[in-house]
Amino acid sequence: MEGGSSEIRGICTLEDLKVELETSGVVIVHALPCQLTPPWFREHKDIIPHDALICVTAKGLYLPTQQLMGHAILDALDRAEQPLAFLSGPSFAEEIMKGNPTTLVVASDDLFQAVRIQRMMSNFKTIRVFTSDDPVGVQLGGALKNPLAVGAGMVAGMGFGTNTLSAVVVRASHELRQLAAAMGGNPRTIDGLAGIGDLMLTCFSSQSRNQRCGQRLMKGETVEDIQKEYTVEGIPTADVAIIYGDMCGLDLPIFRCVHALIHKKITPDEAVMSLMGRRSQYETKHSPKHSRKISFS
């Protein structure tokens, strides 16, 4: 929490919460898991000031209602408006605690609210925070990278190497850009820390629970057994990604293959053939009329 004097007050107990929330200009940095976040706000809505800035660190969707976290929080508070910011980016907690240099992005509809979090969180040594005015894109990048990371683990579990994994990550980021744009976000956000940054982190590292889950699924373990050991946000989020894709009329072949493999609707060989056997197409179009002519004379 932060008071009007910009003093970081730190962690308080639930007994002290009501008193702390009466501080002028309070900032709530909320770090509960995704599925516990809206219920917490519903429980405490009567003591949360309407002008309190809520900074959400949970990267996921609220599954019972298939909502972005921001929408679910507003519904839980039973308010049409509340200052909200979303902190995201490639950041394993263990590495942050070790003091490894880490870059994040914080997004808010009101950019000055994002700047408040930026100034509070940046220490100019190990944490550098960028700002964004695209909370939809930042939320989608943080949430929908989870099923794609499960897919990256599947690639490793099938025995494929870096060629295949790199191809999956790049084409998956393209699908993520399409989905972000269709849902009202800025596709360029996906090119940044909350998109490709977080996607690379979770796809290339075995620290990622989603990535480990994908590997284990390809070795014959069941979703049920894996989720007895730890939470895997990418499993249920894959279902919502398909719903979003259908609502937006998008193909999303990698998302759909990951979803089908999770639910054992196709075999690994069929997934490979489905993706590699797609019709040939261009990667990007280059329009000469938009090119700048450079003179070397």
Side-chain angles (χ1 to χ4, degrees), residues 21 38-50 73-79 82:
L21 287 174
W40 188 93
F41 282 106
R42 186 175 296 110
E43 180 183 352
H44 298 95
K45 65 181 180 180
D46 292 336
I47 62 172
I48 295 175
H50 283 67
I73 289 172
L74 289 177
D75 284 352
L77 292 171
D78 196 21
R79 299 172 190 174
Q82 180 78 38

Side-chain angles (χ1 to χ4, degrees), residues 232-252:
V232 185
E233 288 280 355
I235 296 297
T237 304
D239 298 338
V240 182
I242 300 306
I243 292 171
Y244 284 177
D246 290 342
M247 288 171 54
C248 298
L250 297 175
D251 192 9
L252 308 181

Side-chain angles (χ1 to χ4, degrees), residues 72-122:
I73 289 172
L74 289 177
D75 284 352
L77 292 171
D78 196 21
R79 299 172 190 174
E81 294 183 357
Q82 180 78 38
L84 296 174
F86 301 90
L87 189 66
S88 192
S91 49
F92 285 132
E94 181 180 349
E95 295 190 15
I96 292 176
M97 296 303 294
K98 289 179 179 178
N100 291 1
T102 301
T103 53
L104 304 169
V105 61
V106 59
S108 178
D109 284 320
D110 299 312
L111 191 57
F112 79 93
Q113 302 285 21
V115 172
R116 291 179 68 189
I117 301 299
Q118 179 188 46
R119 291 178 176 176
M120 188 172 73
M121 294 289 187
S122 298

Side-chain angles (χ1 to χ4, degrees), residues 45-62:
K45 65 181 180 180
D46 292 336
I47 62 172
I48 295 175
H50 283 67
D51 62 348
L53 171 57
I54 298 170
C55 178
V56 182
T57 67
K59 294 187 284 188
L61 306 173
Y62 188 50

Side-chain angles (χ1 to χ4, degrees), residues 111-287:
L111 191 57
F112 79 93
Q113 302 285 21
V115 172
R116 291 179 68 189
I117 301 299
Q118 179 188 46
R119 291 178 176 176
M120 188 172 73
M121 294 289 187
S122 298
N123 63 15
F124 303 100
K125 184 178 179 181
T126 60
I127 301 291
R128 180 173 172 83
V129 181
F130 293 83
T131 58
S132 168
D133 60 357
D134 181 23
V136 170
V138 166
Q139 288 181 85
L140 284 172
L144 295 182
K145 63 92 174 41
N146 290 324
L148 296 175
V150 174
M154 290 173 170
V155 169
M158 293 179 200
F160 299 127
T162 310
N163 284 6
T164 311
L165 181 56
S166 298
V168 168
V169 170
V170 171
R171 296 310 301 171
S173 69
H174 175 71
E175 294 184 18
L176 200 47
R177 281 193 294 272
Q178 288 183 311
L179 196 49
M183 295 187 67
N186 184 344
R188 292 189 63 184
T189 298
I190 305 303
D191 295 333
L193 293 165
I196 191 68
D198 218 358
L199 186 61
M200 289 175 64
L201 180 90
T202 52
C203 288
F204 285 98
S205 175
S206 59
Q207 290 186 62
S208 164
R209 291 181 302 234
N210 291 292
Q211 198 258 21
R212 295 201 306 272
C213 173
Q215 289 197 46
R216 292 174 65 175
L217 287 173
M218 291 301 96
K219 293 176 181 177
E221 296 186 57
T222 66
V223 169
E224 293 74 21
D225 286 343
I226 295 170
Q227 290 195 309
K228 287 177 183 176
E229 298 180 27
Y230 50 78
T231 300
V232 185
E233 288 280 355
I235 296 297
T237 304
D239 298 338
V240 182
I242 300 306
I243 292 171
Y244 284 177
D246 290 342
M247 288 171 54
C248 298
L250 297 175
D251 192 9
L252 308 181
I254 295 176
F255 273 107
R256 294 184 189 278
C257 271
V258 171
H259 179 262
L261 284 169
I262 289 172
H263 294 285
K264 301 188 181 300
K265 294 180 179 179
I266 59 174
T267 66
D269 287 343
E270 289 171 338
V272 173
M273 290 302 300
S274 171
L275 293 173
M276 297 302 290
R278 291 172 59 81
R279 65 178 178 82
S280 299
Q281 56 184 304
Y282 58 84
E283 182 181 38
T284 57
K285 283 184 177 179
H286 174 65
S287 178

